[in-house]
Amino acid sequence: MLQSDKYCVIMAGGIGSRFWPLSTQKFPKQFQDILGTGRTMIQQTYDRISKIIPVENIFVITNKEYVGLSHQQLPEIPEENIVGEPLMKNTAACNLYMANKIAERNPDATMVVLPADHLILKEDVFLQKLELAFNLAAENEYLVTLGITPTRPDTGYGYIQFVEKKNAEYFKVKTFTEKPILEIAQSFLDSGDFLWNAGIFIWNVKSIHHAFEEYLPEMTQHFMACDYNAGNEENCIELIYPKVQKISIDNGILEKAKNVYVIPADLGWSDLGTWTSVYENTEKDKNQNSVNQKHLLTYNAEGNIIHTKNNKVVVIDGLKDYIVVDTDKVLLICPRDHDQLIKDYVLDLKNFKKGERFM
């Protein structure tokens, strides 16, 4: 398969509200250097994939509001490859939009779709599994996904069940399950034939078009109205987006299709969905505090995540397992095991300060 038949779409449209107050509507988490590596999440995603895909074949689909930010952070990517959606319509619409755009350029294209804000520690394994996925998807009408080998019964992830066959590198998918309750997650883990759904998909543009025609025919019709990579594409997309169904690619296609295959992969992966997941994936000091700055004094403080923006000196005494995040506008202090409530804080704040711009 020629290198030029490989394409990538980086999905970067989310607003990352669970990462408030660092991640705001104006500056969501994919554009932040959350782990303190010197590169933002979307830049790290680009760095990884550009090792096997030429830059002119890499696309970004994001919210219209973040097109400028995307250009700024990824100046290497051609300007016309960064696409803004007029409305948030979940992941089926943006997948079809990008498949159409890429097919117009190269009808033989095979594409990988990557979330912009995931952590992958084992890059070599990732690229190796992707090569296998590209070959499978180019040669067969398969919709391929990478499934993460689960390390714990996590209730924050979706699960993929596969049909067992001995010593294979990939498997036919049996079922997809949305985020399960703990008992069910534990039984999935015990059974050994479940993987985490990382939202990484690989398919040939022809295969994904067939799937859309079969399972989301109305959406397919709407998107056929537009002329891709032409001057009036943007106006056409603006007109059809309000009419398009809001549904995820998982619900709309993958749960129904009979030709979905999964490649198990141990990637050192996290979707970095919460402050707790950041805590788990960063280096800690001797008291198990995860800290992003040097000017810190702690006394009798352990298990905290402390994230401050400027060079302010921070002194913490007697806190255990807390999140402390300080930005220009907001200071958040809450127990680490309340990180799922952060979305609620954001909502309450909006109601609390209706008259004033807080975010």
Side-chain angles (χ1 to χ4, degrees):
M1 178 173 158
L2 287 169
Q3 179 72 13
S4 61
D5 283 342
K6 291 180 184 164
Y7 288 75
C8 171
V9 173
I10 299 173
M11 290 196 296
I15 53 173
S17 56
R18 288 179 299 178
F19 265 105
W20 182 86
L22 186 66
S23 175
T24 60
Q25 192 133 6
K26 283 201 169 65
F27 216 99
K29 73 163 177 169
Q30 58 272 28
F31 302 108
Q32 303 263 7
D33 175 12
I34 283 181
L35 296 174
T37 62
R39 296 285 277 167
T40 65
M41 301 307 298
I42 194 171
Q43 287 172 332
Q44 289 184 48
T45 303
Y46 166 79
D47 295 345
R48 264 195 297 275
I49 200 64
S50 60
K51 290 178 181 163
I52 60 167
I53 293 182
V55 63
E56 65 275 12
N57 289 6
I58 299 175
F59 289 76
V60 172
I61 182 141
T62 185
N63 200 300
K64 227 178 153 176
E65 210 181 321
Y66 310 135
V67 168
L69 207 46
S70 303
H71 284 309
Q72 209 179 321
Q73 295 205 355
L74 298 172
E76 307 88 344
I77 293 183
E79 207 159 312
E80 65 276 12
N81 285 18
I82 295 180
V83 180
E85 290 184 287
L87 298 166
M88 289 174 85
K89 286 284 183 163
N90 214 319
T91 51
C94 66
N95 269 284
L96 181 54
Y97 182 7
M98 296 317 283
N100 284 351
K101 215 169 152 55
I102 289 168
E104 190 66 38
R105 271 200 204 177
N106 180 349
D108 297 317
T110 298
M111 56 193 275
V112 57
V113 182
L114 295 173
D117 50 6
H118 288 188
L119 171 72
I120 291 174
L121 295 172
K122 300 178 185 176
E123 245 171 53
D124 298 351
V125 182
F126 170 70
L127 297 176
Q128 197 186 321
K129 298 288 183 185
L130 267 193
E131 291 290 0
L132 169 63
F134 269 114
N135 291 335
L136 280 175
E139 290 159 20
N140 308 278
E141 188 156 329
Y142 289 173
L143 308 177
V144 184
T145 178
L146 296 190
I148 306 299
T149 317
T151 51
R152 59 182 183 275
D154 202 299
T155 57
Y157 296 146
Y159 285 74
I160 299 168
Q161 184 185 24
F162 58 90
V163 182
E164 186 63 82
K165 63 176 182 187
K166 286 280 174 282
N167 304 324
E169 283 189 290
Y170 64 94
F171 303 94
K172 196 168 173 38
V173 169
K174 202 167 167 181
T175 59
F176 281 86
T177 307
E178 294 285 318
K179 301 169 182 177
I181 60 168
L182 190 61
E183 292 77 16
I184 292 175
Q186 186 60 59
S187 70
F188 286 174
L189 204 66
D190 296 341
S191 74
D193 58 357
F194 282 84
L195 300 162
W196 284 336
N197 183 359
I200 298 170
F201 306 116
I202 306 93
W203 40 59
N204 187 276
V205 288
K206 296 186 179 87
S207 311
I208 196 64
H209 276 141
H210 291 158
F212 268 98
E213 281 159 19
E214 189 170 344
Y215 302 109
L216 291 172
E218 207 175 297
M219 191 180 284
T220 307
Q221 282 297 315
H222 284 311
F223 275 94
M224 277 167 85
C226 295
D227 202 357
Y228 294 93
N229 307 315
N232 61 348
E233 176 190 317
E234 202 177 318
N235 290 344
C236 181
I237 290 293
E238 294 263 349
L239 287 174
I240 66 166
Y241 250 76
K243 306 172 194 166
V244 167
Q245 189 186 352
K246 192 173 189 175
I247 189 170
S248 71
I249 189 91
D250 305 64
N251 292 146
I253 301 233
L254 299 170
E255 289 171 12
K256 298 171 184 155
K258 308 285 182 281
N259 58 333
V260 185
Y261 286 80
V262 65
I263 299 172
D266 173 11
L267 303 177
W269 172 89
S270 167
D271 74 345
L272 288 182
T274 60
W275 281 111
T276 295
S277 61
V278 170
Y279 177 81
E280 285 160 0
N281 288 291
T282 46
E283 286 180 23
K284 324 279 190 298
D285 66 14
K286 62 182 189 303
N287 297 316
Q288 292 303 298
N289 294 306
S290 161
V291 180
N292 80 323
Q293 60 120 307
K294 299 177 190 72
H295 313 289
L296 174 74
L297 281 176
T298 59
Y299 304 90
N300 190 22
E302 56 185 71
N304 301 299
I305 178 161
I306 300 156
H307 202 292
T308 58
K309 270 197 131 167
N310 43 32
N311 288 329
K312 193 184 287 182
V313 175
V314 179
V315 182
I316 289 184
D317 185 351
L319 272 192
K320 188 176 188 306
D321 298 335
Y322 264 72
I323 298 168
V324 180
V325 183
D326 188 28
T327 69
D328 296 337
K329 291 189 173 177
V330 179
L331 169 64
L332 168 73
I333 303 170
C334 76
R336 240 175 57 205
D337 58 8
H338 287 191
D339 70 352
Q340 296 293 344
L341 299 176
I342 287 177
K343 279 185 162 178
D344 301 342
Y345 304 159
V346 177
L347 278 175
D348 291 344
L349 248 183
K350 279 184 179 164
N351 298 331
F352 177 63
K353 282 276 181 181
K354 261 287 170 16
E356 239 175 82
R357 283 309 296 267
F358 231 85
M359 297 288 287

